[in-house]
Amino acid sequence: MIVNIKREKILEELLKVSRIISQRTLIPSLLGILIEVKKDKITFTTSDGDTSIKSEIPVGKDLVIKSIGGILIKNKFIIEVIRKIEDEFITLEAIEGSLVKIKANNFDSILNTLNASDYPHISFETEGKEITFNNNLLKEIISQTSFAIGEREKRIVFNGLNIRTDKANNLLVITATDSFRLACKKINYTSENDFDVIIPGKFINEIGKLLTENDDDIKMKISDKSVCIILNNTIIQSKIIEGKYPDTTKVIPENFVSLLTLNNRDLIKIIERASVLSNEAMTTIVTLKIKDNKVFITSFTQEIGNSEEEIKDFRLSGTDQTITFNSKYILDALKSFKTKEVTIKMIDETKPLIVVADEEPSLQQLVLPIRSY
């Protein structure tokens, strides 16, 4: 294997695929990047066993192939060596004896490789039921819901994003929850296909990183066991999380006793100021206090201090409230809206509060309160 390749281009692809490598894998070969050179392209493949990604560079101005072959190499050192090179093009050459040479002007580096034949065969499935998203809409969906996906929840279904069709109302319903908060996005969608799948959070977050700002259509393919998306020169796929996603409509209240409408950006700034009284090891507890037609945000962090700030510009209907919540959760919810105003719907200090916006009716955020006594 010998190739002459644009340094900037190979570095971009190596960084892209290396993100999903897991250091906790029990399969040593999955610690590496599989680089395969064919007659017309070079491909880069990585996997953590559940999520896999393959990216390619075709022969052209960025790539000249002199001989075909393949190597398996750990990502850290090849990326760092290539990152430090300042030449526009580099040469990769596989050397017998499990070595690869990286060459540039006045520079040579030889790195050890792994046994490429040990790498598990990964079949990228590009068939299945299809959902078509506008690129910008998919990017918006991910940014408005993915933060609520659980990371390592005991109930594995909470570690993914639920996508289901509501054919009766011609909607696609996208839901994420870690059992402490919930994000729900509904978009108009008409299709013959019926879906109710749970897509792993890692896959969703990687898609979010790959998406750029454009109006292209993106096709998501869903089979019985996997989901995949093709983005330009990259295909990423993942196993679907098995299990039944809970009916989250049952936890979203319909009737409220207090409605508070206010400027979203101002509220975010106030809560961020209250959150200053924390450190990385602590969670800031923030209280929304409504009393005698006045609204306050207060915070308290043990061993650091407390703060209180009055909100002057708001519209209120309903009874007084004192509701305490995790500042990060409420900030994530508020920042998901692009609207000038939001409305916080409340029942009491023990029931979920709901954040909505008249200008963005497709999105709904739920945050559970924290008992302050």
Side-chain angles (χ1 to χ4, degrees), residues 188-204:
N188 295 325
Y189 192 81
T190 303
S191 173
E192 293 299 318
N193 294 320
D194 216 2
F195 302 98
D196 191 353
V197 296
I198 308 169
I199 299 175
K202 185 171 184 178
F203 174 85
I204 291 297

Side-chain angles (χ1 to χ4, degrees), residues 89-239:
F89 282 84
I90 62 171
T91 297
L92 294 185
E93 179 181 355
I95 304 173
E96 289 186 18
S98 301
L99 300 171
V100 63
K101 180 185 284 188
I102 304 171
K103 297 192 297 184
N105 291 334
N106 304 315
F107 174 84
D108 277 5
S109 178
I110 295 178
L111 301 177
N112 293 322
T113 64
L114 305 170
N115 189 344
S117 64
D118 291 340
Y119 204 79
H121 174 71
I122 299 173
S123 176
F124 286 87
E125 302 290 342
T126 56
E127 300 298 326
K129 294 181 180 179
E130 184 176 289
I131 308 177
T132 301
F133 294 97
N134 171 272
N135 178 93
N136 288 334
L137 175 59
L138 181 57
K139 192 174 181 68
E140 179 180 272
I141 289 170
I142 292 172
S143 70
Q144 291 180 327
T145 60
S146 63
F147 59 82
I149 296 174
E151 293 185 3
R152 286 184 289 274
E153 304 299 322
K154 291 181 179 179
R155 291 188 65 182
I156 192 170
V157 294
F158 289 157
N159 295 327
L161 188 72
N162 179 232
I163 300 179
R164 67 175 179 86
T165 49
D166 177 357
K167 297 188 79 171
N169 296 299
N170 292 324
L171 293 172
L172 197 64
V173 182
I174 300 100
T175 307
T177 182
D178 59 7
S179 76
F180 297 103
R181 53 180 170 175
L182 181 147
C184 183
K185 177 86 170 177
K186 297 180 180 180
I187 61 173
N188 295 325
Y189 192 81
T190 303
S191 173
E192 293 299 318
N193 294 320
D194 216 2
F195 302 98
D196 191 353
V197 296
I198 308 169
I199 299 175
K202 185 171 184 178
F203 174 85
I204 291 297
N205 288 325
E206 285 306 313
I207 294 299
K209 294 172 185 174
L210 291 172
L211 292 173
T212 57
E213 297 288 341
N214 63 66
D215 283 324
D216 295 343
D217 283 340
I218 294 173
K219 299 184 187 306
M220 179 181 287
K221 301 279 190 173
I222 299 174
S223 64
D224 291 339
K225 298 290 184 181
S226 66
V227 55
C228 84
I229 282 182
I230 300 174
L231 292 169
N232 301 318
N233 66 327
T234 304
I235 178 171
I236 179 168
Q237 78 170 19
S238 180
K239 295 177 182 177

Side-chain angles (χ1 to χ4, degrees), residues 40 300 317 328 342:
D40 59 344
F300 171 76
S317 65
K328 181 182 185 309
V342 293

Side-chain angles (χ1 to χ4, degrees), residues 3 36 66 203 216 235 326 339:
V3 300
E36 297 175 290
K66 297 182 179 180
F203 174 85
D216 295 343
I235 178 171
N326 180 313
T339 58

Side-chain angles (χ1 to χ4, degrees), residues 82-95:
I82 293 174
R83 197 197 299 269
K84 299 297 183 185
I85 296 173
E86 296 181 353
D87 298 298
E88 185 178 7
F89 282 84
I90 62 171
T91 297
L92 294 185
E93 179 181 355
I95 304 173

Side-chain angles (χ1 to χ4, degrees), residues 35-53:
I35 303 176
E36 297 175 290
V37 178
K38 301 177 182 179
K39 291 182 179 180
D40 59 344
K41 62 186 175 183
I42 181 171
T43 65
F44 308 87
T45 303
T46 59
S47 177
D48 67 359
D50 293 319
T51 301
S52 304
I53 184 169

